Amino acid sequence: MSQTVSSFLYSKEHEWVEIIKGNLVKIGITDFAQNQLGDIVFVELPQEGEEITANESMGTVESVKAVSEIFSPVSGKVTQMNGDLEDTPEIINSEPYGQGWMVTVELNNPDELKELMTAEQYSAFVEEE
Amino acid sequence: MNMLKRTPLFELYAKYGGKTVDFGGWELPVQFSSILEEHHAVRNNAGLFDVSHMGEVLIKGPDAEKVIQYLCTNDSASMQKNQAIYTAMCYPSGGIVDDLLIYKIEEHEYLLVINASNIDKDVDWIVSQAKGDVTIENQSDRIAQLALQGPKAEAILQKLTSSDLSGITFFHFRQDVDIAGVKTLVSRTGYTGEDGFELYVDALDACTLWEKILEAGKEEGVLPCGLGARDTLRFEARLPLYGQELDKDISPLEAGIGFAVKVAKEEDFIGKEALVRQKQEGVSRKIVGIEMVGRGIPRNGYSVYASGSSEEDEAIGYITSGTQSPTLKKNLGLALIQTDFASVGTQVEVEVRGKRVEAITVKTPFYKR
């Protein structure tokens, strides 16, 4: 059974979004996603200042076996990138919603958040996958 | 409708937390706990794999040896009963039909252990090429295979039998060994770079043997292991995988298994002419080890370029297998590249998702026990 955080929003591509304040959000991948990937050994993330677009690739996460794209759930400018993941990407496995966060983003279009799922909706979505 | 093939052990996967995937038409566990945990268990203690998907073909009759000599690149003439050898089976072009183990069961009886995804192709090939007084039986569905691998494999297995396992040396085997009440062919072979055994049993006995071994090896830290760890382990030990390092378009000499090609053997064999020519002229490409210098993990199919080459320059080869080595913690790959760039220490570039990343050729195997 995969975990969710009730106050976060979720994408169909298994990313989560936490609204920090105003237009600032934090993004990572879900517990379901990290569990599907298995041991994560490498991540490539957008740099600070980079513009990312909703539903487009913003980086990759690699497990021992495979490479997966990280799709940005929102559009905006990256204000911070979690540099700790370069040396210890395995934090994503142990703390997908905490220390394993990936980037913070200043939203271009806050309306995009309406497209995302609640924790409850996401859990139901994952059940069906 | 589920059309995936299953091994006799399928029913036990869930009990041990197995996460299954489609592996060449088979529903097999990629991992039970985690690939890294299982990998380290095999390097440090022991791991148990279900490799029942592998194929087994029995060839017997007065002409069995002749048929095998003609089909295979290695020389089976000096094989003793209860000995196994590794070989390639080639097309006339020198490309590889499959890589396999030959077990000499009796004077005129051999068991060939072939790759799961090649079973039908191999059996057709063997049948079409065999001449003389032999019978060829595909026993793949009847025989299950377990692999117990790791430095503690012998200690664990010894608990389940009165037969002295230390007497079975590398690439030898013993037939009809009673392991926990199960009649087993015990072979000191494996595909992980560790000491260990491959156990061949009747499919009906596979589940019993699996559970008895895991029970017996608890103290030693044995773990059930999936295909994920099998792949990282064989990769570190530079053991080739059919479809990646080996292929119908790759010769054993290019693949670095020239030790299994005996062009001097008395009998003619399929592919001999092409392989003799390759030996005389030298191969134009070969498999080398690659270590990433820049950030990135080399993966199967990624292009390799000469260092400092421009956008227009052609690739010098491609990655056949690659991952982050769990034992060495380095991003490593095997690459089939032009021989001119194959000497150890050559700087190259690997194209990782559109970006050229610096790498260097290194010695293999990456890991040796």
Side-chain angles (χ1 to χ4, degrees), chain A residues 34-45 60 62-67 69 85-87, chain B residues 19 30-31 34-37 227-228 231-232 295-297 299 302 322-324 326 331 353 355:
Chain A
Q34 70 77 19
N35 192 38
Q36 290 292 107
L37 287 165
D39 302 301
I40 293 169
V41 293
F42 191 87
V43 284
E44 205 168 27
L45 296 171
T60 49
E62 300 195 36
S63 65
V64 179
K65 280 292 301 166
V67 185
E69 304 250 13
L85 297 182
E86 290 195 358
D87 296 325
Chain B
K19 200 188 270 183
V30 63
Q31 63 176 62
S34 108
I35 294 176
L36 293 181
E37 245 180 83
L227 292 172
D231 193 49
T232 52
R295 283 195 90 231
I297 299 176
R299 301 283 184 180
Y302 287 8
T323 188
Q324 183 176 88
N331 297 335
R353 293 181 294 281
K355 230 172 27 196

Side-chain angles (χ1 to χ4, degrees), chain B residues 20-37:
Chain B
T20 60
V21 292
D22 176 355
F23 177 79
W26 290 80
E27 193 171 0
L28 294 170
V30 63
Q31 63 176 62
F32 288 90
S33 45
S34 108
I35 294 176
L36 293 181
E37 245 180 83

